[in-house]
Amino acid sequence: MEIFFFLLFAIVALACALNVVLQKHPISSALSLVGVMVSLAVLYLMLGAEFIAMAQVVVYAGAVMVLFIFVIMLLNAGAETRKGGSITAQVLGIPALLAFFAALVFLITTYYPGLSPVKFGDFTGGGAREIGMKLFSSYLLPFEVTSVLILIAIVGAIVLARKELD
Amino acid sequence: MDLNALVHGVPVSWYLVLSAMLFAIGAAGFVLRRNIITVFMCIELMLNAVNLTFIAFSHELKSVHGHIFTFFVMVVAAAEAAVGLAIILTVFKNRSTLNIDEVSTLKN
Amino acid sequence: MQNLWIIPALPLLGFLVNGIFGRKMPKLMVSLTAVLSVVLSFAYVLFVLSSAKSLDQPAVEHYFTWIQSGAFNVGFDYQVDKLTAIMLLVVTGIGSLIHIYSTGYMAHEEGYWRFFAYLNLFMFFMLNLVLAANYLLVFVGWEGVGLCSYLLIGFYFTKKSATDAGNKAFIVNRIGDFGVALAMFLIFITFKSLDFHKVFALAPGKPVATLTAIALLLLVGAAGKSAQLPLYVWLPDAMEGPTPVSALIHAATMVTAGVYLCARSSVIFVHSPAAMDTVAMVGLATAVFAAVIGLAQNDIKKVFAYSTVSQLGYMFLGVGVGAFSAGVWHLVTHAFFKALLFLGAGSVIHACHGEQDMRQMGGLRKYAPVTFATLGCASLAIAGFPFTSGFYSKDAILVAAHAHAPWMFWVAVFTAGMTAFYVWRAYFMTFFGKYRGHGHPHESPVSMTGPLVILAALSLAGGFLFNVPEILGKMFQVEAEGAEAATLTYISVAFGLAGIGLAYFLYVVNSALPDKIASSLGGLYTLVYNKFFVDELYDVTVVQPTVNGSRTLLWRGIEHYVIDGVVRGVGANALNIGGVLKHLQSGNIRSYATWVVIGGAVLLILMGVGGFAFAGGVR
């Protein structure tokens, strides 16, 4: 049962991720990205991360992606233009990526070959209650600092996107 | 791989490999794509891949700390998206282009 | 926990407020901040001491680990024991009085806020010095008071002599600080710790040679800070600073830090007879030397400056002959009467519109009666007049010196006679006879005379109010006891009274005689008047060679060719390498991203090759 759902959503996620990169038009990329995020949310749920799965859907697939699509629409962005460019990226990019990926997979399979199997319901510590308890006890200060960060982001966004910079 | 074992659930390593694949795809998009908005979306993709690693290890360790990390990554990503998109708006207003190859003021 | 940190924190707060906002604040606010911060600190000291259960054992308070590097561990620790308690009372008590006095004395000066900011900063460092529970923290206070001393001596920074004096004090003190730093290194090597309680617990088992080296290095530091031979030269020049500074820093508190350091390290000193003898000899030599110079000075502050050097010599004599508590006792009483002498001198200078030369004063008893009376009390105390504060403490030192070596007693007692003579000479020249200066002298405001009266009371009664040897009890391991104390007391009192009498005879009864004596002595008088030409000697032997050597060898040779050559070479090479590397900086984000990916790949491969250090960290 788990293996079925894992494979299903892993494949959906990978396909959507590839689509993000391969699509010429940003709006298609953005919609594919929503697909990646929703399937990741399902995987989170299988790993027992209920709260994070909800947040993934609401914050990422919802709020952040709406922002992306809004900007794409606002700028009326079309297919990308090919002008200028980097020799380094074209020559070294793909080999470097492959090396990176191979090294990563090698490390995982060598050093974490036999981690415990994931069975739905094994771990139930990821509910809103548990996260809330941690967030407002041991992680209180980082949490409060986060609010300052968001405030700064809001102010920064407003200042940057203002019509006139006078 | 023992197929009988798979009946009991998916090994956590599989999640890690999936995460590595997503990360690599995101990195590839960052390196190869020219549209600044797509590049930005690829960054989000990489962040998501990392989040998956956090959640997978959290399950392995039966600890909620990884979730907290993911939560903070999400918050930072949201803030970053807001500021980043505002920067994109400003760049577009000043240069009328979304091609990052044409935005190389850093050099001079 | 008694929250000892509040004691120095209050003046620090005052410094911050005055230092940052002082320029904009009205004068009243500045004085209120400065005075209140110190007075509250004094009040808190009283509170701490009254609520303390027992001060026999130092109560160490650990606030945080300050430096942690391998075996080297220094905490930010304060402690209070009886010695610290006495120092705290003296520093904050006298400090409060002098702050109040300063509000009157400095009322018309430029940079009023700056003065009080420095003064508060000084209080902070001084309190840090006496509260510290390890040598490094003492050193922080030690350097800090040196800095404040420099800033305050050079307070009138438009005057070249003032800034020169500040520099001189700072540079001469560096020599002493070098000694303290070396002592700390040696202490750490020997004891593996700088904490007082650890060092003093281990000291008895260490080789005498090491302890002697440590003690002598500490003595170098103490001699620098407390103006002992041969490093005393900065203190007389330090009188360029405003008079309250001379009273607080260069008479009552900072210059006694050296005595405090020796008393604090008594365990080390006691185990090294050679170092003790050196301390006693240095102290005695300084006492005599400075007293002789003091005989022929005409500047009222210079007279008191040399008397400070001389009295500090007494304290070192006391410490050196093993009478630590007598030395500390003299420190306390000296703080009372010397602060009073300087504040009184300030009042006199104030009365005479800034005149410091005693030949331009005279007859001031009619114009400034309060100053006249209070300064009289201080002069009695310093002369060792029976039952004044100076009488008790000086007597304790003299008795201890006699027990150690009788000849030391005779030299010291003769010096006591000279002290009485030159202080009363200054007193008679200032207050008796006819007024020889210009303008109309006037009495000082209440903010100045108030502290004078309090200090006068302390100068008279401070000796039996604060019987330091009784308070300190058995804190120090060695305590010299004098047997024939009564006879010795009569002798020292006789010398003191003789000094006063001679001064009265020469400067009141027959005031033409001193000039005749001076001219008949000829060369000897010139030698003494010019302070034995020590400054000139140092100039020829140390300062000029250093300056010339720096100019020719260090500047033209090493600086020009070696250092500049290296710097230019580095610059040229960086330019060449940069010329190659700049092609990496294409300004293209994608190429940067590619380099990041390459870097990540290399890192991962290295991790794989080197064996994943974090493998197994999972389980």
Side-chain angles (χ1 to χ4, degrees):
Chain A
M1 192 62 175
E2 278 83 7
I3 184 92
F4 171 70
F5 278 111
F6 173 78
L7 286 178
L8 176 63
F9 286 102
I11 288 167
V12 170
L14 284 174
C16 288
L18 280 173
N19 211 30
V20 170
V21 177
L22 294 178
Q23 281 293 331
K24 288 273 174 276
H25 204 282
I27 199 88
S28 320
S29 298
L31 291 174
S32 307
L33 193 57
V34 175
V36 178
M37 284 163 175
V38 171
S39 28
L40 278 180
V42 176
L43 294 176
Y44 289 168
L45 208 54
M46 287 168 65
L47 287 162
E50 305 154 28
F51 178 80
I52 297 297
M54 285 312 298
Q56 171 87 355
V57 174
V58 174
V59 177
Y60 257 134
V64 174
M65 290 318 296
V66 166
L67 200 59
F68 269 96
I69 292 175
F70 177 75
V71 170
I72 294 169
M73 297 295 195
L74 184 72
L75 299 184
N76 199 13
E80 69 182 23
T81 51
R82 293 184 161 273
K83 194 177 163 197
S86 152
I87 305 159
T88 320
Q90 267 148 20
V91 177
L92 292 176
I94 298 289
L97 276 166
L98 285 178
F100 180 81
F101 177 66
L104 204 55
V105 172
F106 170 76
L107 281 178
I108 293 167
T109 50
T110 314
Y111 291 101
Y112 298 103
L115 297 186
S116 61
V118 175
K119 208 159 159 62
F120 187 64
D122 269 4
F123 175 57
T124 51
R129 184 187 150 76
E130 287 81 2
I131 299 224
M133 293 301 281
K134 268 274 177 289
L135 215 48
F136 291 106
S137 56
S138 7
Y139 290 97
L140 185 60
L141 182 66
F143 182 69
E144 293 299 336
V145 172
T146 310
S147 63
V148 179
L149 174 77
I150 292 181
L151 179 68
I152 294 168
I154 293 170
V155 173
I158 290 171
V159 169
L160 280 170
R162 262 193 320 190
K163 265 242 151 56
E164 292 296 316
L165 285 170
D166 42 52
Chain B
M1 179 67 64
D2 182 6
L3 279 177
N4 284 330
L6 289 182
V7 178
H8 298 292
V10 190
V12 169
S13 343
W14 288 28
Y15 282 94
L16 298 180
V17 173
L18 173 64
S19 161
M21 287 167 143
L22 287 174
F23 191 90
I25 294 172
F30 194 106
V31 173
L32 299 176
R33 295 301 303 262
R34 289 179 174 78
N35 189 314
I36 197 165
I37 297 177
T38 314
V39 167
F40 213 66
M41 283 192 275
C42 290
I43 296 174
E44 299 292 331
L45 187 56
M46 286 190 277
L47 285 171
N48 267 286
V50 173
N51 280 352
L52 182 59
T53 313
F54 272 125
I55 301 284
F57 272 116
S58 208
H59 184 276
E60 172 71 18
L61 298 169
K62 303 283 182 280
S63 138
V64 80
H65 288 92
H67 294 188
I68 306 280
F69 262 99
T70 309
F71 177 79
F72 282 121
V73 170
M74 279 183 175
V75 172
V76 173
E80 176 232 341
V83 177
L85 288 171
I87 291 174
I88 291 177
L89 273 177
T90 319
V91 168
F92 187 75
K93 248 188 330 202
N94 291 339
R95 305 196 169 217
S96 309
T97 179
L98 286 174
N99 186 342
I100 51 171
D101 284 345
E102 291 177 45
V103 185
S104 56
T105 330
L106 215 54
K107 188 177 183 180
N108 304 312
Chain C
M1 287 295 259
Q2 293 183 298
N3 289 321
L4 294 174
W5 58 270
I6 293 176
I7 298 169
L10 284 166
L12 181 65
L13 193 70
F15 159 69
L16 291 176
V17 170
N18 273 345
I20 297 171
F21 308 110
R23 192 191 293 268
K24 298 268 154 59
M25 292 197 315
K27 262 188 183 175
L28 184 68
M29 283 293 293
V30 172
S31 7
L32 217 58
T33 314
V35 172
L36 264 186
S37 69
V38 181
V39 171
L40 284 178
S41 186
F42 179 56
Y44 192 74
V45 168
L46 290 180
F47 168 73
V48 165
L49 297 185
S50 59
S51 64
K53 281 186 223 70
S54 160
L55 291 172
D56 288 329
Q57 286 302 315
V60 179
E61 290 187 5
H62 177 74
Y63 301 113
F64 55 87
T65 301
W66 176 27
I67 298 173
Q68 169 77 64
S69 166
F72 185 69
N73 186 337
V74 178
F76 199 91
D77 302 350
Y78 282 164
Q79 69 170 30
V80 60
D81 60 2
K82 285 181 173 170
L83 181 60
T84 301
I86 289 168
M87 291 301 288
L88 282 176
L89 285 174
V90 170
V91 171
T92 53
I94 306 251
S96 303
L97 292 175
I98 291 174
H99 272 72
I100 296 167
Y101 176 92
S102 305
T103 58
Y105 187 84
M106 299 298 287
H108 309 297
E109 300 287 347
E110 288 280 316
Y112 187 77
W113 59 278
R114 195 162 54 87
F115 178 81
F116 278 104
Y118 291 162
L119 220 52
N120 275 358
L121 185 64
F122 167 79
M123 292 300 289
F124 163 70
F125 280 122
M126 190 68 206
L127 291 169
N128 184 68
L129 195 160
V130 297
L131 279 166
N134 58 54
Y135 278 102
L136 197 61
L137 206 54
V138 166
F139 197 58
V140 171
W142 188 270
E143 291 294 309
V145 291
L147 168 72
C148 295
S149 157
Y150 161 76
L151 289 171
L152 283 165
I153 293 169
F155 180 74
Y156 301 117
F157 57 80
T158 47
K159 218 164 96 185
K160 183 153 189 324
S161 59
T163 53
D164 283 350
N167 286 339
K168 188 169 175 184
F170 203 69
I171 292 165
V172 173
N173 264 303
R174 287 284 76 68
I175 301 171
D177 297 344
F178 186 59
V180 179
L182 287 180
M184 283 199 298
F185 296 153
L186 203 53
I187 288 171
F188 182 71
I189 292 170
T190 317
F191 300 101
K192 303 279 174 270
S193 173
L194 290 174
D195 293 340
F196 286 146
H197 61 97
K198 283 189 195 145
V199 171
F200 299 153
L202 292 173
K206 298 291 177 188
V208 174
T210 316
L211 293 176
T212 306
I214 293 173
L216 288 178
L217 286 170
L218 286 175
L219 175 63
V220 172
K225 192 60 87 197
S226 294
Q228 296 298 293
L229 277 176
L231 299 178
Y232 75 95
V233 286
W234 65 271
L235 187 58
D237 285 21
M239 299 304 136
E240 289 287 349
T243 309
V245 172
S246 310
L248 178 62
I249 301 184
H250 305 120
T253 53
M254 185 190 85
V255 290
T256 60
V259 182
Y260 169 78
L261 189 68
C262 290
R264 173 58 73 199
S265 313
S266 62
V267 179
I268 295 175
F269 278 91
V270 162
H271 286 93
S272 165
M276 292 285 276
D277 281 340
T278 316
V279 173
M281 293 301 294
V282 167
L284 191 62
T286 309
V288 178
F289 192 73
V292 171
I293 297 178
L295 292 175
Q297 297 304 308
N298 286 323
D299 183 324
I300 185 164
K301 285 180 75 179
K302 282 274 161 68
V303 173
F304 294 153
Y306 280 106
S307 105
T308 304
V309 176
S310 172
Q311 297 297 310
L312 287 166
Y314 270 105
M315 295 175 209
F316 276 91
L317 175 65
V319 167
V321 298
F324 289 98
S325 56
V328 176
W329 198 6
H330 199 54
L331 187 163
V332 174
T333 57
H334 174 257
F336 295 148
F337 60 69
K338 188 49 67 64
L340 177 54
L341 279 179
F342 271 112
L343 294 188
S347 182
V348 166
I349 294 165
H350 196 77
C352 297
H353 312 285
E355 184 56 61
Q356 297 197 6
D357 192 329
M358 292 188 294
R359 287 167 296 193
Q360 305 297 318
M361 296 175 181
L364 287 177
R365 74 190 143 156
K366 284 200 286 288
Y367 305 102
V370 180
T371 311
F372 168 69
T374 52
L375 213 52
C377 298
S379 305
L380 282 177
I382 196 173
F385 193 79
F387 311 115
T388 58
S389 61
F391 165 73
Y392 289 99
S393 53
K394 193 183 278 186
D395 210 46
I397 291 176
L398 291 174
V399 168
H402 188 267
H404 187 75
W407 69 269
M408 280 187 172
F409 166 79
W410 289 107
V411 175
V413 88
F414 183 70
T415 309
M418 281 200 282
T419 307
F421 172 76
Y422 67 71
V423 169
W424 279 88
R425 165 180 173 263
Y427 188 68
F428 289 134
M429 279 178 85
T430 311
F431 289 103
F432 286 76
K434 273 209 293 282
Y435 184 60
R436 299 180 288 271
H438 53 88
H440 289 284
H442 57 87
E443 180 62 293
S444 306
V446 176
S447 62
M448 287 165 71
T449 52
L452 290 183
V453 172
I454 298 173
L455 280 170
L458 285 170
S459 299
L460 290 179
F464 46 86
L465 280 184
F466 300 95
N467 193 333
V468 175
E470 216 162 79
I471 298 171
L472 290 178
K474 290 280 168 241
M475 188 176 158
F476 302 109
Q477 292 171 9
V478 176
E479 208 62 68
E481 290 295 333
E484 34 184 341
T487 327
L488 300 181
T489 307
Y490 295 141
I491 294 171
S492 74
V493 168
F495 268 94
L497 290 178
I500 299 175
L502 190 64
Y504 184 77
F505 176 70
L506 286 181
Y507 290 92
V508 179
V509 178
N510 193 350
S511 53
L513 201 57
D515 286 337
K516 277 189 214 148
I517 297 175
S519 53
S520 69
L521 282 175
L524 194 62
Y525 179 80
T526 318
L527 193 66
V528 174
Y529 181 75
N530 289 306
K531 307 149 200 164
F532 290 106
F533 296 103
V534 171
D535 280 331
E536 288 75 8
L537 186 74
Y538 283 178
D539 191 53
V540 173
T541 54
V542 180
V543 178
Q544 290 301 336
T546 311
V547 169
N548 291 334
S550 305
R551 283 225 175 98
T552 50
L553 183 69
L554 292 180
W555 176 28
R556 300 228 168 78
I558 293 177
E559 164 81 16
H560 193 73
Y561 289 106
V562 181
I563 297 177
D564 283 5
V566 169
V567 170
R568 290 200 194 102
V570 167
N573 279 323
L575 214 58
N576 293 338
I577 297 168
V580 177
L581 285 180
K582 77 177 175 192
H583 297 293
L584 276 180
Q585 300 292 325
S586 60
N588 185 298
I589 300 173
R590 295 200 297 141
S591 95
Y592 291 153
T594 310
W595 287 113
V596 172
V597 172
I598 293 172
V602 169
L603 212 59
L604 286 173
I605 290 167
L606 284 179
M607 278 161 84
V609 171
F612 196 1
F614 308 106
V618 170
R619 284 178 200 285

